Amino acid sequence: MTTELPAITITRPDDWHLHVRDGAMLASVLPDTARQFARAIIMPNLKPPVATVEQALAYRDRILAARPAGSDFTPLMTLYLTEQTTPEEIRRASECAHVYAVKYYPAGATTNAASGVTDLERVMPVFEAMQETGLPLLMHGEVTDGEIDIFDREAVFIDRHLSVLVKRFPELPMVLEHITTAEAASFVEDGPANLAATITAHHLLLNRNALFEGGLRPHHYCLPILKRELNRQALVRVATGGNPKFFLGTDSAPHPKSAKESDCGCAGMYTARTALELYAEVFDQAGALDRLEAFASFNGPDFYRLPRNTGSVTLCRDTLDIPDEVDFGGQPGVPFRAGGRTAWRMA
Ligand code: NCD
Ligand code: ZN
């Protein structure tokens, strides 16, 4: 007698926050995402940043060229907001069929955020133009103030900045990216309809103990940094709770092994290889597998006012081994949960 593995079939999902880099790295990592997701919002933090429509279109061409043969994966491009971004560029972006959002990085907040914004007041005319044209604002929601404890930077961003922005821009679609705290979960939950949030698999699975498990663990270092267990539980509650304001965004952020295992290691976890499987684990553990589809496949496109995907993917409750290392464009990289296994597997 063969026993059928428990399985779940959902509409093809999308990743609403993804780093794929460029060049050889892009060619190595893109197939992992293209296998699981129909579309992804592509982060613009290259060096130099993807700050204009022209640069976004050129980057899009490089991504399309890196797709595996036969893949219909669609990159949804974003612009990197700098203090030089003009309202005219926003209007061009809103008229461009391939640019879907603008990403705000506080200057210095994370990888390649040096060209970000030092003072939000300087970009208010740009936000006005985005509100007029309906181009969504994606926010790295952390203050960079060295006096603020790194574990408090998201909550302080909400207090100081986001609470003001939502009042000032009632019509601007805003996404608080990769939320990590109970404060962010509640703020978005109770906030206006034009405010949503993405949640990563790693922030749903790990708390900050994972940074120090048996020693210093650079592959668990990302930004915003992992938080306390209470925060993780709040994220699981909102992700699996059926509220359409929360959706899937992996923030998969590949760095070569040598850049992670270093005196001053880079922030970012590479979850793209098994992203959907990891989210399935979270929803399964929460007894909410029936809500995975909305989180992964419906809430994002509904917020961005894009059609939902057609087609489906199937996941089985079966293990999948994760290698110790993968190739990142000719250099070794360490995937999330390297040497371990997932509890679900894409069929
Ligand atoms: C991201 C990266 O490496 O580009 N790193 C990360 O830890 N998430 C940048 C970011 O999204 O903060
Ligand atoms: Zn990111």
Side-chain angles (χ1 to χ4, degrees):
M1 198 180 95
T2 57
T3 46
E4 290 253 321
L5 290 168
I8 167 175
T9 297
I10 62 170
T11 301
R12 271 180 93 191
D14 304 302
D15 183 348
W16 298 95
H17 185 127
L18 178 68
H19 301 267
V20 289
R21 315 304 189 200
D22 211 345
M25 176 81 106
L26 166 64
S28 296
V29 301
L30 192 67
D32 280 341
T33 292
R35 193 177 61 247
Q36 301 172 69
F37 298 101
R39 299 170 288 195
I41 282 278
I42 305 294
M43 287 297 133
N45 61 332
L46 302 183
K47 256 185 190 167
V50 181
T52 65
V53 172
E54 198 184 341
Q55 287 169 323
L57 290 176
Y59 185 28
R60 178 175 176 272
D61 287 340
R62 300 196 293 280
I63 296 171
L64 292 177
R67 291 186 304 186
S71 169
D72 65 350
F73 171 77
T74 305
L76 310 175
M77 308 310 292
T78 61
L79 297 193
Y80 186 119
L81 178 65
T82 74
E83 291 177 3
Q84 283 72 50
T85 305
T86 60
E88 291 68 47
E89 196 63 31
I90 296 304
R91 283 186 253 287
R92 270 194 288 280
S94 78
E95 282 158 18
C96 171
H98 302 300
V99 177
Y100 289 84
V102 173
K103 178 69 188 281
Y104 159 72
Y105 289 103
T110 188
T111 308
N112 296 346
S115 317
V117 176
T118 59
D119 177 357
L120 275 165
E121 284 307 317
R122 296 191 182 165
V123 291
M124 288 301 156
V126 174
F127 289 171
E128 299 284 356
M130 289 172 63
Q131 176 163 260
E132 270 164 42
T133 57
L135 197 62
L137 170 65
L138 314 184
M139 288 169 282
H140 184 109
E142 289 193 289
V143 294
T144 50
D145 192 332
E147 275 150 44
I148 306 296
D149 191 284
I150 188 169
F151 295 97
D152 297 334
R153 288 179 186 178
E154 183 174 277
V156 173
F157 175 83
I158 293 169
D159 259 18
R160 280 192 194 163
H161 303 299
L162 187 55
S163 59
V164 179
L165 285 177
V166 292
K167 290 203 189 90
R168 200 149 157 187
F169 298 101
E171 310 288 337
L172 173 63
M174 288 183 255
V175 185
L176 189 55
E177 297 291 328
H178 42 53
I179 61 169
T180 62
T181 57
E183 286 91 338
S186 306
F187 189 85
V188 173
E189 206 171 21
D190 302 338
N194 58 315
L195 176 66
T198 54
I199 310 184
T200 76
H202 49 279
H203 288 104
L204 290 168
L205 287 164
L206 303 179
N207 64 37
R208 67 190 195 179
N209 287 347
L211 281 162
F212 309 106
E213 229 167 57
L216 191 58
R217 305 297 292 266
H219 299 291
H220 289 158
Y221 174 55
C222 66
L223 289 170
I225 198 154
L226 295 172
K227 304 293 192 303
R228 284 177 183 280
E229 175 61 10
L230 271 179
N231 292 294
R232 189 192 70 82
Q233 287 169 9
L235 300 181
V236 171
R237 181 180 65 75
V238 291
T240 63
N243 185 329
K245 293 166 114 184
F246 298 94
F247 41 87
L248 187 158
T250 63
D251 195 18
S252 178
H255 291 278
K257 180 179 175 175
S258 58
K260 295 284 298 173
E261 298 178 7
S262 148
D263 178 46
C264 187
C266 293
M269 296 194 210
Y270 186 64
T271 51
R273 191 182 164 89
T274 52
L276 207 48
E277 284 93 343
L278 295 169
Y279 282 106
E281 255 180 54
V282 173
F283 278 71
D284 191 12
Q285 278 164 20
L289 271 178
D290 57 326
R291 291 185 172 154
L292 177 62
E293 182 174 45
F295 178 78
S297 316
F298 297 161
N299 299 347
D302 293 358
F303 185 82
Y304 276 83
R305 301 188 180 187
L306 293 171
R308 295 176 180 180
N309 295 315
T310 53
S312 61
V313 298
T314 297
L315 290 143
C316 315
R317 196 189 273 116
D318 189 12
T319 60
L320 179 70
D321 291 331
I322 303 174
D324 293 334
E325 285 184 7
V326 294
D327 173 53
F328 282 167
Q331 305 184 72
V334 178
F336 183 80
R337 209 184 274 169
R341 54 172 55 133
T342 60
W344 285 79
R345 179 173 58 74
M346 234 179 97

